[in-house]
């Protein structure tokens, strides 16, 4: 079976005033189709950088990245953008919605750019699926943080990507809203049968994944199974 995500010897070195900084130091990781995997680690461990490399948003200094059997490592920016449009959905901590567009437009416009003929109909259906059927014409500034993240989730899942990347998706939300968003995230993952690559610092959220990978100092230090989906873990 072809891996949904295959990372081979990923290294990332960035320049700084003090000299080169090794962010990732040789990470190899394979993720199966429809698997839900969580990356855990302290601040500075490299987990968000690994997501950026895996999603094609950051070029590795060394190594190979394959998504659904396609090597994206040496793709140019335009080719990468086209590939991401058809295969990858991304949800960020800070939503990244376009403030001058309504919720409906935020979800529909990327679909239109991808050539989807029923972009607005699909966008409406996805927003209804995340509980925002009555907020279609509202702008991001008129929505709560939780509602903005629901729009971001609808936008990420609408193109039906094979891989859904989520970088601290509950990081800017209060506890109750964060729990609602995490439940929705896993429900969308299950419904769409997409691979979920989740970066989080929350152990409780990570435990909802079928697999937990722990990073420290740019290296994988543990790779183990989490609890079955839907379990809340120990109190």
């Amino acid at each position: 079976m072809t891996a949904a995500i295959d990372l081979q010897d990923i290294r990332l070195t960035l320049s700084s005033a003090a000299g080169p900084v090794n962010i990732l130091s040789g990470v190899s990781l394979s993720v199966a189709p429809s698997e839900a995997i969580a990356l855990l680690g302290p601040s500075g461990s490299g987990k968000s950088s690994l997501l950026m490399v895996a999603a094609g948003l950051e070029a590795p200094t060394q190594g190979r990245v394959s998504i659904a059997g396609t090597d994206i490592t040496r793709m140019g920016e335009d080719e990468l953008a086209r590939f991401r449009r058809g295969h990858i959905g991304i949800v960020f901590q800070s939503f990244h919605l376009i403030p001058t567009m309504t919720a409906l437009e935020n979800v529909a416009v990327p679909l239109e750019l991808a050539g989807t003929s029923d972009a607005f109909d699909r966008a409406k259906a996805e927003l209804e699926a995340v509980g925002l059927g009555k907020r279609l014409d509202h702008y991001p500034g008129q929505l709560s943080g939780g509602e903005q993240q629901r729009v971001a989730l609808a936008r990420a899942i609408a193109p039906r990507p094979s891989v859904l990347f989520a970088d601290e998706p509950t990081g800017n939300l209060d506890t109750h809203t964060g729990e609602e968003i995490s439940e929705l995230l896993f429900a969308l993952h299950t419904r769409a049968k997409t691979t979920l690559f989740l970066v989080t610092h929350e152990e409780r959220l990570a435990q909802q994944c079928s697999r937990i990978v722990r990073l420290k100092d740019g290296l994988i230090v543990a790779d183990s199974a989490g609890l079955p989906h839907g379990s809340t873990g120990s109190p």
Side-chain angles (χ1 to χ4, degrees), residues 131-155:
L132 291 180
K134 296 182 179 180
R135 308 286 269 171
L136 303 179
D137 297 325
H138 287 70
Y139 292 92
Q142 298 172 310
L143 302 173
S144 68
E147 288 171 332
Q148 290 185 63
Q149 193 62 297
R150 286 171 184 264
V151 175
L153 281 169
R155 181 181 59 186

Side-chain angles (χ1 to χ4, degrees), residues 24-232:
L24 299 171
S25 302
V27 174
S28 294
L29 179 66
S30 184
V31 184
S34 301
E35 186 173 14
I37 183 171
L39 262 65
L40 273 175
S43 178
S45 62
K47 56 187 186 296
S48 288
S49 294
L50 186 59
L51 179 147
M52 295 287 282
V53 170
L57 296 172
E58 179 83 49
T61 306
Q62 179 180 315
R64 180 175 59 82
V65 179
S66 294
I67 302 292
T70 299
D71 187 343
I72 68 170
T73 316
R74 292 175 179 81
M75 286 184 179
E77 288 187 15
D78 291 344
E79 190 179 5
L80 264 173
R82 287 193 296 270
F83 183 85
R84 281 196 299 267
R85 193 183 299 155
H87 296 84
I88 291 172
I90 308 175
V91 180
F92 295 101
Q93 178 176 343
S94 53
F95 319 136
H96 289 304
L97 301 178
I98 300 172
T100 55
M101 289 186 177
T102 64
L104 184 63
E105 290 168 336
N106 263 283
V107 179
V109 167
L111 292 171
E112 282 196 312
L113 292 174
T116 304
S117 59
D118 60 344
F120 277 83
D121 289 339
R122 189 188 295 185
K124 180 181 178 182
E126 293 298 343
L127 285 166
E128 288 173 344
V130 298
L132 291 180
K134 296 182 179 180
R135 308 286 269 171
L136 303 179
D137 297 325
H138 287 70
Y139 292 92
Q142 298 172 310
L143 302 173
S144 68
E147 288 171 332
Q148 290 185 63
Q149 193 62 297
R150 286 171 184 264
V151 175
L153 281 169
R155 181 181 59 186
I157 209 72
R160 298 164 189 164
S162 57
V163 181
L164 177 61
F165 291 94
D167 190 5
E168 300 282 8
T170 62
N172 279 345
L173 306 174
D174 61 67
T175 300
H176 176 71
T177 305
E179 288 176 353
E180 290 182 341
I181 291 298
S182 64
E183 289 177 8
L184 181 58
L185 175 67
F186 283 101
L188 291 172
H189 152 69
T190 300
R191 173 171 67 85
K193 296 182 174 60
T194 186
T195 300
L196 176 61
F197 191 99
L198 170 67
V199 165
T200 181
H201 66 277
E202 298 180 43
E203 186 84 31
R204 201 174 183 88
L205 179 56
Q207 289 287 347
Q208 295 184 61
C209 291
S210 56
R211 181 179 172 194
I212 299 174
V213 172
R214 298 178 189 273
L215 267 68
K216 183 178 180 181
D217 298 330
L219 288 167
I220 292 176
V221 295
D223 186 344
S224 59
L227 297 175
H229 169 54
S231 175
T232 57

